[in-house]
């Protein structure tokens, strides 16, 4: 399912550009509790049948109601990239649209920064969207007769800021996605990847603490797609936002996700770190996503480093960006786990030989 337009749900700018990533404590940013979405038919009847253990298909046949999301409960923490994966029709878009109430949950609550958005009146909801979140869709329409800058400033127009301020913010957002020099171009002069960057810039112009991205890169060809993933990761380095990112694509999910949530028939069947999901898939459906993936090529040292593992004495440090082959060459004949450090030299954890061999084992 695609969308006709980028839905700009955040059209006011926050006062502060945001504090440095390191200074931020992990907070509960989005808390989803017992959420259901039932389309069509009688929701209460469908709900009862669900409790009786009937499947989505059986319920549809009996009542005409579609159970798009059932029994969803999870927390997304500040600063993390939370990826939702699942087959087509599994409920991903419905779920993400309930996070800003583009779709109203049938049952359950969604809290953003501790505020229950399911209880908000229209005005409070609009304020919350302006303040707290932006959404980027797979495909969207740029306004053809407006410049890239004007398109990027689109969401700011209604926020009551003056033109100079809007343009300044839009220009900064374009700079941040590498489109600074194209500010005065028109959309027809841009490639597909560049257009998608304008969509991202538009979402970033408000400096939202939460970004919702529904298959935002799926329409792009593979090279540009990887480029956009890198862009997102780079932006996260600069300023950690909370990102809920929907993807069909396992490689994408593993590259950018701090945690991956897997949906099957409207239900969350597993929510875990990428390596935990690969190591301990909850069921065959989850396993099937990984069947043809060589995880040793996808994971880097940082992905499998464990915080509570103590490095062995004198074992050389490896970079979080190191390949698992490189890690193996270090730990193969070391006395204990190898410390893993990020680009600032800060320890992010350690990898033991056993853990590493297990990862290779599973891949083989
Ligand atoms: N407005 C609607 N009315 C009725 N049923 C709907 C509506 N929107 C979604 N559905 C149904 O809800 C289920 C979940 O749909 P959803 O679009 O959330 O899936 P998805 O995981 O995003 O799929 P895709 O990967 O194809 O985008 C599907 O069975 C779909 O047919
Ligand atoms: Mg979808």
């Amino acid at each position: 399912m695609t969308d006709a337009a980028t839905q700009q749900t955040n059209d006011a700018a926050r006062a502060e550009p945001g504090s440095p990533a390191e200074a931020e404590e992990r907070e509960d940013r989005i808390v989803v509790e017992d959420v259901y979405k039932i389309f069509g038919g009688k929701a209460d009847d469908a709900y009862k049948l669900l409790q009786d253990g009937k499947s989505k298909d059986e319920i549809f046949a009996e009542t005409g109601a579609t159970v798009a999301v059932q029994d969803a409960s999870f927390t997304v923490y500040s600063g993390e990239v939370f990826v939702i994966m699942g087959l087509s029709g599994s409920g991903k878009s419905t779920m993400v649209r309930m996070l800003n109430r583009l779709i109203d949950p049938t049952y359950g609550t969604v809290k953003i920064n501790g505020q229950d958005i399911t209880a908000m009146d229209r005005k409070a909801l609009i304020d919350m969207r302006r303040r707290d979140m932006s959404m980027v869709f797979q495909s969207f329409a740029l306004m053809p007769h407006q410049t890239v800058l004007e398109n990027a400033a689109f969401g700011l127009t209604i926020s009551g800021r003056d033109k100079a301020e809007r343009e300044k913010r839009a220009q900064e957002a374009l700079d941040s996605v590498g489109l600074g020099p194209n500010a005065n171009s028109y959309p027809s002069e841009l490639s597909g990847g560049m257009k998608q960057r304008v969509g991202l810039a538009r979402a970033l112009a408000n400096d939202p603490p939460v970004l919702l991205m529904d298959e935002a890169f799926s329409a792009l060809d593979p090279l540009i797609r990887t480029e956009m993933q890198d862009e997102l990761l780079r932006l996260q380095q600069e300023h950690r936002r909370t990102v809920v990112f929907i993807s069909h694509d396992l490689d994408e999910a593993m590259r950018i996700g701090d945690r991956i949530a897997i949906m099957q028939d409207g239900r969350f069947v597993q929510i875990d770190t990428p390596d935990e999901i690969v190591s301990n898939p909850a069921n065959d459906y989850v396993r099937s996503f990984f069947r043809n993936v060589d995880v040793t090529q996808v994971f880097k040292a940082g992905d499998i480093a464990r915080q509570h593992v103590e490095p062995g004495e004198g074992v050389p440090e490896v970079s979080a960006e190191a390949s698992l082959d490189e890690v193996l060459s270090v730990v193969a004949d070391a006395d204990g786990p190898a410390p893993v450090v990020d680009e600032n030299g800060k320890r992010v954890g350690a990898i033991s030989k056993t853990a590493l061999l297990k990862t290779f084992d599973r891949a083989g």
Side-chain angles (χ1 to χ4, degrees):
M1 203 172 69
T2 64
D3 300 283
T6 295
Q7 177 71 34
Q8 186 65 51
T9 57
N10 183 344
D11 50 18
R14 291 192 309 154
E16 292 295 327
S19 47
E22 311 80 58
E24 257 172 47
E25 289 265 313
R26 191 178 88 160
E27 293 165 13
D28 293 357
R29 187 68 82 206
I30 303 172
V31 179
V32 172
E33 276 170 343
D34 308 322
V35 162
Y36 288 75
K37 181 66 197 184
I38 298 168
F39 287 111
K42 290 210 180 83
D44 288 347
D45 293 350
Y47 181 81
K48 278 197 199 93
L49 293 171
L50 269 180
Q51 307 311 310
D52 294 343
K54 292 273 166 79
S55 74
K56 186 177 158 169
D57 288 342
E58 288 168 333
I59 292 170
F60 182 72
E62 254 180 71
T63 67
T66 301
V67 180
V69 172
Q70 49 175 314
D71 202 15
S73 294
F74 57 87
T75 299
V76 183
Y77 304 109
S78 57
E80 81 169 327
V81 179
F82 186 87
V83 177
I84 301 180
M85 268 187 82
L87 295 180
S88 185
S90 59
K92 306 179 295 295
S93 294
T94 305
M95 187 64 242
V96 80
R97 282 169 173 70
M98 289 193 287
L99 300 181
N100 60 3
R101 261 186 69 191
L102 284 183
I103 293 179
D104 275 315
T106 309
Y107 306 113
T109 57
V110 175
K111 289 189 189 129
I112 309 287
N113 296 328
Q115 283 191 294
D116 181 0
I117 66 161
T118 46
M120 282 180 182
D121 63 20
R122 192 153 176 80
K123 183 176 174 305
L125 185 63
I126 289 170
D127 283 349
M128 183 281 299
R129 287 176 181 161
R130 282 184 179 159
R131 209 178 42 235
D132 294 334
M133 40 182 51
S134 283
M135 187 148 176
V136 189
F137 288 130
Q138 173 171 0
S139 56
F140 59 93
L142 293 176
M143 292 164 286
H145 302 300
Q146 298 205 354
T147 63
V148 164
L149 185 71
E150 287 162 340
N151 270 286
F154 172 74
L156 299 168
T157 322
I158 339 163
S159 67
R161 294 183 175 266
D162 66 32
K163 190 157 181 268
E165 167 74 12
R166 293 199 305 263
E167 290 191 347
K168 180 168 162 283
R169 283 183 169 270
Q171 183 66 52
E172 282 167 6
L174 288 171
D175 290 343
S176 75
V177 300
L179 277 184
N182 305 86
N184 296 317
S185 304
Y186 285 87
S188 60
E189 301 169 85
L190 304 183
S191 70
M194 289 160 97
K195 286 181 191 158
Q196 196 66 19
R197 276 171 200 254
V198 180
L200 186 56
R202 184 187 277 177
L204 293 172
N206 299 304
D207 193 26
V210 177
L211 262 183
L212 306 177
M213 304 179 76
D214 189 353
E215 311 248 8
F217 303 153
S218 298
L220 304 173
D221 70 50
L223 266 180
I224 296 172
R225 185 170 181 165
T226 314
E227 216 177 280
M228 288 301 289
Q229 292 162 3
D230 290 341
E231 191 69 43
L232 181 67
L233 292 173
R234 195 185 57 72
L235 287 166
Q236 282 299 95
Q237 293 282 327
E238 266 173 23
H239 179 168
R240 285 205 161 266
R241 293 185 173 81
T242 305
V243 182
V244 178
F245 191 104
I246 293 185
S247 181
H248 267 103
D249 185 76
L250 180 73
D251 288 338
E252 182 167 82
M254 299 221 278
R255 278 196 83 201
I256 67 169
D258 293 307
R259 285 190 300 154
I260 300 177
I262 301 206
M263 291 190 78
Q264 176 179 17
D265 292 335
R267 217 190 274 277
F268 283 86
V269 290
Q270 188 164 12
I271 301 177
D272 251 321
T273 58
D275 63 303
E276 269 303 318
I277 284 193
V278 176
S279 312
N280 301 304
N283 63 16
D284 284 343
Y285 174 84
V286 177
R287 201 167 289 118
S288 70
F289 280 100
F290 298 89
R291 195 152 287 149
N292 299 313
V293 175
D294 181 355
V295 292
T296 62
Q297 297 308 309
V298 178
F299 285 142
K300 298 193 171 133
D303 297 321
I304 65 164
R306 283 270 167 273
Q307 260 172 354
H308 60 260
V309 173
E310 271 303 308
E313 212 159 296
V315 182
E317 287 180 343
V318 296
S319 149
E321 290 301 303
S323 72
L324 298 194
D325 285 328
E326 291 170 65
V327 181
L328 187 60
S329 70
V330 172
V331 294
D333 34 39
D335 279 336
V340 179
V341 294
D342 68 12
E343 71 280 2
N344 302 316
K346 200 176 133 215
R347 169 95 51 84
V348 294
I351 303 174
S352 71
K353 185 153 66 177
T354 327
L356 187 63
L357 291 178
K358 261 203 217 154
T359 308
F360 276 102
D361 243 14
R362 274 179 223 110

